[in-house]
Amino acid sequence: VDGEIQNDMDKLQDAFPGFRDKFRLIKRIGEGTFSTVYKAEDLQYDRYDNSWDLDKDCDKWSPPPLKSSFAGQSSSTADHRRRRPKYVAIKKIYVTSSPARILNELELLHDVRNCASVAPLITAFRHTDQVVAILPYCRHTDFRMYFRKMTVPDMAIYLRSLFSALSFVHSRHILHRDVKPTNFLYDPTTQRGVLVDFGLAEREGVESKPCMCHDDPVQRKNRLRTAHQASSVPHNGYPKQDTRPSRRANRAGTRGFRAPEVLFKCTEQTTKIDIWSVGVILLTILSRRFPFFNSADDVEAMIEIATIFGIKRMRAAGQLHGCMFDSTIPTIGQGGFSLERIILWSTCRSDTGETLSDEEKMAVDFLSRCMELDPARRISAKEALDHEFLRLGLD
Ligand code: ADP
Ligand code: MG
């Protein structure tokens, strides 16, 4: 362990009274935008719940006993409580995060604790302004190490695991908002994965204002027509005196994985935004290119999506949310390309006259259901589990 990391580890161990009796920090395993995560040995792993109490001046926040078994852990405990894992992940949330944001993450994690494909919150501690969350340590391999080697059935198994997690999370009306490979910890040898990182997650509908994408098509057309007539003064380029109301919407997430409705600032976002992100993961695997999208900002992200889907479909997608989309960029055509074409290109098979295998075609059909530009038509996690492609992932 290098000096600076060791220094941070010492600081963490000293910040919490009694920490060294409970955990032995082993190494740093992750550093994100909102936290640093360490692997640690739980020194009291053979004991149960009440051993978690630290000193009185530490607030303890602990969920009730857990019922179902955790993926990879034995479920043979007679009292149906989850066996405490020997190794844990300690997520040290940066002190600059707002208390509301931290509470939100812990509460949502608590709500989804009974799903085998979500890393369950064991407990959390606060000492002054520092909060740490304790999760079971989930062994996993860096996505970049295995995604190029995945066969189509491997992809189905991987996605089945991810969609099981999402189906559970979505049934609790929670949007994860940050689905991407680093937040799905997958072990290719056991073919199991767990969803982590509820730092940006939110309850469906809590912050949303009605968006016209939920109107019926006739109503939507009328609204668009009135809006168009009201602003019918023709102009070229960017309007200098823009009198349109500015749009505000939750844009949290990671570049390249944001759904079109997030880019169009839809004010009524649903769990379907997570499905789009899974689509981007599948596109990455099928095309063997990571990152597939590499935009620096939302406008670039729209350009990348428009390059695939074409102006016509992108315009229709924008109109769903009351947005105009247009582009004079020569590489963006009216009709775009089929996903099959894109995959053949990126795997250098377009010159050889090769076509996709039947299994790959099934995967592409599934991909097109995940990457529907209209969230209302996009497949849900529950429906996805019944799709013939994900059925390839059944044992
Ligand atoms: P952030 O909000 O900073 O992105 P995450 O919860 O995504 O925090 O954790 C960051 C990284 O730490 C993950 O990408 C993963 O590599 C590692 N990590 C997080 N939780 C666990 C866990 N339960 N087991 C093993 N590694 C984990
Ligand atoms: Mg993360």
Side-chain angles (χ1 to χ4, degrees), residues 28-39 70 87-94 101 105 109 119-120 134-140 142 176 178 180-185 194-200:
R28 189 175 77 182
I29 47 180
E31 198 178 24
T33 335
F34 304 106
S35 72
T36 305
V37 180
Y38 301 93
K39 180 180 183 178
F70 169 64
Y87 293 101
V88 290
I90 300 186
K91 178 167 178 168
K92 175 174 162 264
I93 301 170
Y94 294 147
R101 204 198 142 263
E105 176 169 0
L109 266 175
I134 315 290
L135 303 143
Y137 173 77
C138 311
R139 207 178 56 176
H140 63 283
D142 188 325
H176 184 279
D178 202 15
K180 57 178 174 179
T182 49
N183 287 338
F184 182 60
L185 310 182
V194 287
L195 186 63
V196 296
D197 197 355
F198 283 69
L200 296 174

Side-chain angles (χ1 to χ4, degrees), residues 238-278:
Y238 199 82
K240 285 194 186 66
Q241 275 164 333
D242 196 341
T243 52
R244 296 170 299 176
S246 67
R247 289 171 72 90
R248 274 168 154 277
N250 194 339
R251 290 174 44 257
T254 302
R255 314 177 278 133
F257 293 91
R258 287 196 189 114
E261 64 270 26
V262 178
L263 300 172
F264 283 122
K265 301 196 180 129
C266 168
T267 48
E268 207 174 352
Q269 297 170 19
T270 68
T271 51
K272 297 289 183 67
I273 67 166
D274 293 337
I275 309 295
W276 176 275
S277 309
V278 183

Side-chain angles (χ1 to χ4, degrees), residues 186-382:
Y186 190 71
D187 182 350
T189 45
T190 59
Q191 298 192 307
R192 278 169 178 279
V194 287
L195 186 63
V196 296
D197 197 355
F198 283 69
L200 296 174
E202 65 178 26
R203 279 181 219 285
E204 200 169 30
V206 165
E207 269 182 64
S208 65
K209 283 188 240 122
C211 173
M212 64 200 276
C213 68
H214 292 272
D215 292 350
D216 77 76
V218 180
Q219 234 178 329
R220 196 186 300 139
K221 227 178 205 160
N222 286 339
R223 272 225 254 174
L224 274 171
R225 191 175 304 131
T226 353
H228 190 73
Q229 281 161 357
S231 65
S232 58
V233 192
H235 57 250
N236 282 319
Y238 199 82
K240 285 194 186 66
Q241 275 164 333
D242 196 341
T243 52
R244 296 170 299 176
S246 67
R247 289 171 72 90
R248 274 168 154 277
N250 194 339
R251 290 174 44 257
T254 302
R255 314 177 278 133
F257 293 91
R258 287 196 189 114
E261 64 270 26
V262 178
L263 300 172
F264 283 122
K265 301 196 180 129
C266 168
T267 48
E268 207 174 352
Q269 297 170 19
T270 68
T271 51
K272 297 289 183 67
I273 67 166
D274 293 337
I275 309 295
W276 176 275
S277 309
V278 183
V280 176
I281 300 180
L282 179 55
L283 180 57
T284 306
I285 303 174
L286 285 167
S287 66
R288 317 259 183 231
R289 305 219 176 197
F290 181 71
F292 187 88
F293 293 120
N294 200 20
S295 47
D297 56 46
D298 282 358
V299 174
E300 266 187 45
M302 283 193 215
I303 292 172
E304 289 179 327
I305 295 176
T307 307
I308 298 183
F309 292 91
I311 291 185
K312 270 195 215 149
R313 280 198 280 170
M314 201 62 178
R315 188 173 292 147
Q319 282 182 350
L320 289 175
H321 315 287
C323 290
M324 269 301 293
F325 180 88
D326 214 341
S327 157
T328 50
I329 299 172
T331 47
I332 306 182
Q334 289 294 318
F337 304 99
S338 70
L339 290 166
E340 175 156 1
R341 273 293 280 289
I342 300 281
I343 290 159
L344 286 170
W345 262 329
S346 27
T347 49
C348 308
R349 283 182 283 176
S350 41
D351 292 339
T352 60
E354 257 179 278
T355 51
L356 297 180
S357 69
D358 287 347
E359 276 185 336
E360 275 179 308
K361 281 187 183 146
M362 206 195 282
V364 170
D365 176 68
F366 181 72
L367 174 62
S368 68
R369 298 288 293 114
C370 297
M371 293 188 92
E372 283 275 5
L373 292 171
D374 178 355
R377 292 170 58 182
R378 201 175 298 149
I379 199 167
S380 70
K382 198 164 168 284

